[in-house]
Every structure is written in structure tokens, then in C-alpha cells.
Amino acid sequence: MTERVLIIGAGHAGATLAGLLRQAGHPGPIELFGDELDLPYHRPPLSKKFAEGELEQWLRPMEFYQDQDITVRLGDRVVAIDRAERRVHVASGESYDYDHLVLATGARPRPLPVPGADLDGTVSLRTLADARILRKCVAERRRLAIVGGGYIGLEVAAVARANGVEVTVVEREERVLARVASPRLSEILTAHHRARGTRILTGARVVRLSGADGRVRAVVLDDGTEITSDAVLVGIGALPRDELAAAAGLRCDQGIVVDAQARTNDPHILAIGDVTRRPLGTGTLVRLESIPSAAEQARQAVATIMGDVPTAAEVPWFWSDQFDLKLKIAGLVPPLPRTVVRGDPSAGRFALFHHDNGTLIAVESANRAAEFMAGKQFIASGTRIDPARLADDTTPLRDAILH
Amino acid sequence: MPKVTYELPDGTVHDVDVPCGQSVMDGSVRNNLPGIVAECGGSCSCATCHVFLEAGESFFDEPTDEERELLEFAEGVRPNSRLSCQLIISDGCAAVRVTVPGTNG
């Protein structure tokens, strides 16, 4: 078997897949295409680190790809897929044949649809190139406004504030992290940020960015409030980069639709990472943006390409660092959770267990890694817990399990 | 350069040169050895680089509280369980040996 695998997208999903395919013994050519100029890198540090040299963490050193006989083509973009001929065309004019094509094209920042969003000093954060611009902006200009109180916004807020920058977070919803976290976690994190001097405005609608000489000077809200700032980070979510797939006639619905084995509706084309919408447990399609999800889908794709047994479903999880809080979250927080609090939120060590009649659905933890690990296991195994015992921090976690 | 011996889930044994300052996890990732998944890249966030430290314990710092907590509920945990991202190789390291479990995801 010398089947040729082309991977479009050199982010965490694509680069992980390339390495795992060799690990699994794939003997044929593997080519990894990336439209950025940097080698595949870790994205989490982009919003969590600030100091020179901490941003650039390569997934693998350059020699790795040579040693593993993986061809990396950077700075070029795939512009079309010819499904009938099983060939892709790139912007520079070349074309490449495939036996398996894997789309790992990721997501792009959602643009802020208001006047002034193109002023100098306004940035979004997705790539290493973006992070370099943001760091320069923040280092030179001492007041940062962040539009969007999601994880990216709050992580940057924390690291900027810790470096003495004046930070204002502007959130359209009534609470930060409204789409992804429980109301209780939103409340705890809001208090944690405010106590460290970050201004957080919720229910605040941005109508325009104002500037002088082409540079941003303020964020203007619908009630007339002006937030003076020298730099503006827009962090209002991301959109799947599924245009290439859609143009090729692959099934897309707010992301490339795949099954639990990373397969699209074309038997020669797989898709993995932030760009996909895929079935989780109950069968509803979700699009997750996280490293563990990218890695899980890379493992699914390896099994499919190698003809191995399909991988078992994993509990979704992710992590975030904000000031001294190391947050780890497992499961998807339901809209109206019943919540058990264990530990002390005001001391920055706690776990919020969300359950349905004792069946654990999600856990949100800060500086309580054991609770996170136990919670993730309990969710995977459908373990039922006793809420009262779980709430008592002196009762060992194992003793909160109902048998 | 210090050598680290990895016994993999399939029973094969690999001796790898790991430069000082790098971790036992780095040595595995760099050589594309299976078993150490290392999703978080070594920030002690994910517990997908779990190993059993069979020899060389004295060369490494004691686990931090965070590492201990991550390991407490890790699959197949044993008394010599460590997160390999926290095992940093230094000059004096010799005969470090780890067994990699097949349960890192």
C-alpha cells in the first residue's frame, strides 16, 4: 500500500495526523500543506503567553518532518479540489494527486461588523503572525480594549493585565463566556478578573471603533459610552474555513459535516479539527474548537486511512489559564445545569460539577486537577454521584460515587 | 548526551538521546514514539504523557501538587507513575528508564 495522503492545513489537527500516520506505519507519501509561513506550532500559548520567546512553540522541530519523510509545503494555499481526478490545485499553479485527502483547514476569527474595524491597532488572534502584532500593539500602547468575553478574550485580558496593561473587556451578552461556561463559572471568573483591575462590561453592544490618523482611539457603545484604547482585540468567535469543501460539493453545514470516523460524503476525503461538525454521543452534530478535539479527530482519521478498528468516543475537554487559575473543563455544560460546588471559588481552588439527577454531565475546575480527572472519568462511564457528598470537600471523591 | 530508555505499549524498547533541559516527553515526541500523546505540549495540563518511571528516580524533582492531582485519577496509575513532561533531563542523568502505558488516548 503506497497510497498518497494529502493533508490540507498545518495546524494541530493536520500536523498531529501526519505524525500519527507514520507512527501507525503508513508507508506511502504524506504531504502537509499550510498557508502560513511558520512551521506547525502550538496555538494555546498565543493567548496565554506574553514574553518574547514564549509564543513560538513548535509542535515538532523542523528535522522531525525530514526524519519522518513528511513533506511540508508552507506558504501556499490549496484553491480547488478536483474530486473526479482526485487532485488538488494550489495558488502557485501546481497540482497534486491524492488517494486520501484530509481537510484540516481550521477556523478564522469572526470579523467585527462595525465601522472602524479596519483601523490600525485593531487585531484578531488566530495565528502566530497575529500574536506577534498583538504583542507589539500591547507593548507599545498601554490601554487595551477587548471586544468579546470568550476564552481568548479573557486569557489575553489576564496576561495583559498581569503585565501592567489597562484592560477593558466588552461583552455583548449578559455574562462573559455565555456560550461555553456555566453561569456560576462566568460569575466567579468575572469577579476574579475585576479583583485584579480589569474592567468588564456586559450587555454592551459595540457600534463602531473611532480613530485618529488611521489609528484606533476608542471603542464606542450603543449607549454612547466611549472606551479609550490604544489597541483593540476582537475575540468574538471563529468561523469554519469550509469554503474549499463547499466549492467541491462536500456536505457542509456551518462546518464540514463528518461522521464519527472523520469521513465526509466523499469516500476519498476526510476532515478533522476545528472545521468539522461531527456527531458526539447523542448523535447531535457539534463543532468543537479545541486541541483535544483536533487530536481525537486525527486519531479517527488514522484509523480510517489505515483500515483499523474505529477509535472509541472521548469526553470533550479543554483547558484555559487565567492569572493563577488553571482551568480544566470536561463535558459540555448543559443550558440549565444543576451544579455542585466543591472547594472554595474565592480562594481560586474549586470544581463545579454539573449533573442531571446525579448523573455527571460536565465539570469545570480551577486548580483542582484531581476533580477534573475524576469528573472526566465519571462522565465517560456514566457514573452517578451523591451531590451532598460531592459538595463536602472533606469527603474523598471516590466516596461520592453511587453504586 | 543522556540516554533515555522507553519501553513501549507493544513491548519494543527504544534508547533515545535526549538533550539536557528537554523532558522525557520531548524525547518521545521528537522521535515519534507511540504512547506518549502530549496534547498540551508539556504544560502539565492534560495527563496524556503518563509513564511509569522504572529507573532514574533520583535525577528528577519530586512531583508538584498539580502533577500528583492529575495522576491520582489517571488510568492504571501506580506508585511510580509520573507525567513525562515534568521529567527534565539534566547533565547527571544516566540509565533513565520508563515504561509507556497504552492508555494515554
Side-chain angles (χ1 to χ4, degrees), chain A residues 166-243:
Chain A
E166 204 177 287
V167 180
T168 305
V169 176
V170 181
E171 169 56 51
R172 187 180 62 177
E173 304 294 326
E174 291 307 313
R175 60 183 176 97
V176 298
L177 300 172
R179 285 181 309 118
V180 288
S182 68
R184 189 65 202 271
L185 184 62
S186 296
E187 179 192 319
I188 295 166
L189 290 178
T190 299
H192 200 83
H193 280 260
R194 282 183 175 151
R196 283 150 188 81
T198 301
R199 195 173 159 212
I200 296 183
L201 307 177
T202 54
R205 191 169 287 270
V206 176
V207 289
R208 65 189 170 90
L209 306 185
S210 67
D213 305 325
R215 288 172 71 143
V216 73
R217 302 305 309 170
V219 174
V220 184
L221 305 184
D222 62 351
D223 64 0
T225 306
E226 291 205 11
I227 299 144
T228 309
S229 47
D230 313 303
V232 175
L233 169 67
V234 176
I236 54 173
L239 303 169
R241 293 177 65 179
D242 59 2
E243 300 85 351

Side-chain angles (χ1 to χ4, degrees), chain A residues 47-196:
Chain A
S47 51
K48 297 175 177 68
K49 301 291 183 186
F50 195 74
E52 188 81 44
E54 284 186 336
L55 287 180
E56 288 155 3
Q57 297 183 24
W58 311 119
L59 282 171
R60 306 284 186 275
M62 186 172 333
E63 312 81 62
F64 174 90
Y65 302 98
Q66 271 170 356
D67 293 353
Q68 298 294 322
D69 197 14
I70 294 165
T71 306
V72 184
R73 301 186 190 280
L74 298 175
D76 206 347
R77 210 161 52 82
V78 174
V79 291
I81 302 168
D82 183 339
R83 288 169 57 190
E85 296 293 326
R86 279 194 246 148
R87 183 176 296 155
V88 299
H89 298 277
V90 300
S92 60
E94 298 290 316
S95 61
Y96 302 88
D97 293 343
Y98 63 82
D99 295 295
H100 298 279
L101 178 67
V102 184
L103 301 174
T105 44
R108 68 166 56 84
R110 182 189 296 276
L112 182 65
V114 302
D118 56 350
L119 286 163
D120 179 34
T122 304
V123 295
S124 55
L125 185 55
R126 177 77 192 179
T127 65
L128 193 45
D130 294 337
R132 291 175 182 132
I133 295 170
L134 175 66
R135 184 177 52 195
K136 191 163 174 284
C137 278
V138 171
E140 287 171 357
R141 312 165 188 196
R142 304 309 294 174
R143 289 167 300 187
L144 173 66
I146 297 174
V147 180
Y151 275 108
I152 296 274
L154 291 182
E155 287 179 357
V156 172
V159 75
R161 189 73 205 108
N163 281 278
V165 176
E166 204 177 287
V167 180
T168 305
V169 176
V170 181
E171 169 56 51
R172 187 180 62 177
E173 304 294 326
E174 291 307 313
R175 60 183 176 97
V176 298
L177 300 172
R179 285 181 309 118
V180 288
S182 68
R184 189 65 202 271
L185 184 62
S186 296
E187 179 192 319
I188 295 166
L189 290 178
T190 299
H192 200 83
H193 280 260
R194 282 183 175 151
R196 283 150 188 81

Side-chain angles (χ1 to χ4, degrees), chain A residues 56 85 141 163 176 251 306 321 324 328 340:
Chain A
E56 288 155 3
E85 296 293 326
R141 312 165 188 196
N163 281 278
V176 298
R251 192 174 155 224
M306 300 299 290
D321 299 336
D324 54 333
K328 299 183 208 295
V340 172

